[in-house]
Amino acid sequence: DAIADADVDMILAGFPTLTMSYAELFAGYGPNGTLGQNFDVSRALTLARLERAVKSSRQLYERVVDFWADHINVPHNENALRLFRTVYDREVIREHALGYFPDILMASAKSAAMLMYLNGNENVASAPNENYAREVMELHTLGVNGGYNENDIQELARCFTGWTFYPQNMSIFGEFRFDSANHDYGSKVVLDQTIPSGGDVSDGEFMLNYLALHPTTAEYVSRELAVFLLDYDPPQALVDEAKAVFLATGGHMKEVVRVIMDDKWIPMVDPWNTPKLSRPMHFVCSVLRTPGLTVSTMNGVTGALEILGHYPFQWSSPDGFPDDLDTWGSTVLPRWEFAFLVFNGSMPGVLAPTGALFNALGGPNPADLVERIAGHLAGGHIDLDELRFV
């Protein structure tokens, strides 16, 4: 928050849907919308995502936002989700990205987007729906080998019965609502935790907090974040340290990220000899951030990401876009084609004038080229001794 981002704030002002409530989005872009159609909302969210990723001065924050978008994935490829996903992005992911894990998990569970996507709003005492209970343990907290069984999933689903959101005919449409008439008030046992009979919304809240701060969750989330930021196989010492900080701080993700980004891990992950392939979104953004380029619109970029298979918010299954070499290693040619279009002046909305990089660096000569590049890309934060080479 201390990093000024006025230029991006000005760009985002051109996307009024980003700040609208559920009710405002539905009134303006729902079936009888007066401002447009639901795909206009999802389109705006996508373009804003790219504007932020390419132009924001808060780059680490944007990378962590990218992580959560997949870790607690909700796509916007269905009608209602096109509206709900905008609020989810603002009030769940962006608000809590560098906050506390229990908070982002709770906000996600109570969001209309997640409730609709994983059928939580259909989870009632008479017919429990296990979708969310299964995914919250397998993907969001403990991991696929997290030590739970089918009975735990069934019992956890009972904890969440009655969780829904206010209907369309109310001014607080989309806000979380606990429907007491559809809650299972019987006693429950989840992961050896006994939940007495007679509980209400607190049944699910208790279990979310328990899962959020479980040691297995701390290790799983720390490892996933380390993979995302650093290496496909991060050192166990890194994961152990991040896990310890996770548990000691109550899941404060800013401190966990601080551990993972410590430069002492760089020699261990050895990015020079065993590099981690950038996902298409990351690659495209790094190309567009080349000094000297001017990006006036992201309309052409979205088409490129669609070809590359990484169009934001379009991964339909709960596990989010993958982060592995098998998935992305086969899409190298389209990457080259994207870079060619950009620097050949053929990408709509992107201007790459000849000599732009040279001019952006202030007309360097061979003697100071490396220093000029480091100053431009890292703001002078690289020690000159580290720039010297034989």
Side-chain angles (χ1 to χ4, degrees), residues 66-266:
D66 203 21
F67 169 78
W68 291 122
D70 288 319
H71 189 82
I72 48 176
N73 178 50
V74 173
H76 66 184
N77 52 4
E78 295 180 10
N79 287 344
L81 288 179
R82 291 181 184 274
L83 306 182
F84 290 163
R85 186 59 177 78
T86 288
V87 180
Y88 188 78
D89 185 74
R90 182 181 72 237
E91 297 185 357
V92 177
I93 293 178
R94 291 188 167 274
E95 182 173 337
H96 300 289
L98 287 170
Y100 290 86
F101 184 68
D103 293 340
I104 195 169
L105 187 67
M106 188 73 70
S108 172
K110 290 185 174 182
S111 70
M114 185 65 77
L115 285 164
M116 171 163 283
Y117 175 51
L118 292 181
N119 311 109
N121 58 319
E122 301 171 11
N123 184 16
V124 295
S126 59
N129 187 297
E130 300 172 7
N131 282 0
Y132 178 71
R134 184 180 304 278
E135 305 303 352
V136 75
M137 289 199 285
E138 178 178 327
L139 298 176
H140 304 170
T141 57
L142 302 175
V144 66
N145 298 313
Y148 56 89
N149 55 39
E150 286 297 315
N151 186 69
D152 290 320
I153 294 171
Q154 294 165 6
E155 291 287 277
L156 183 60
R158 294 176 58 212
C159 294
F160 294 122
T161 50
W163 285 39
T164 185
F165 50 85
Y166 285 96
Q168 299 167 358
N169 60 352
M170 301 191 69
S171 61
I172 52 175
F173 164 58
E175 299 298 329
F176 176 74
R177 171 175 173 255
F178 176 67
D179 181 4
S180 58
N182 279 309
H183 183 62
D184 184 334
Y185 287 92
S187 62
K188 309 160 185 78
V189 179
V190 186
L191 297 169
D192 296 327
Q193 300 297 302
T194 299
I195 301 170
S197 61
D200 47 25
V201 68
S202 61
D203 291 353
E205 292 173 336
F206 169 80
M207 282 309 306
L208 284 174
N209 282 309
Y210 176 79
L211 288 169
L213 297 177
H214 194 286
T216 302
T217 297
E219 175 151 3
Y220 173 68
V221 173
S222 296
R223 182 180 298 279
E224 291 289 291
L225 189 54
V227 168
F228 184 80
L229 292 173
L230 287 184
D231 190 74
Y232 293 124
D233 186 20
Q236 187 59 44
L238 184 162
V239 176
D240 290 343
E241 187 172 328
K243 171 185 175 182
V245 168
F246 186 110
L247 294 173
T249 62
H252 193 182
M253 300 313 302
K254 181 183 291 186
E255 298 308 318
V256 175
V257 170
R258 195 187 303 279
V259 169
I260 294 171
M261 297 304 294
D262 193 309
D263 60 10
K264 69 184 179 183
W265 306 116
I266 294 176

Side-chain angles (χ1 to χ4, degrees), residues 342-359:
V342 167
F343 294 105
N344 193 45
S346 304
M347 176 62 62
V350 181
L351 181 63
T354 302
L357 177 57
F358 182 81
N359 294 330

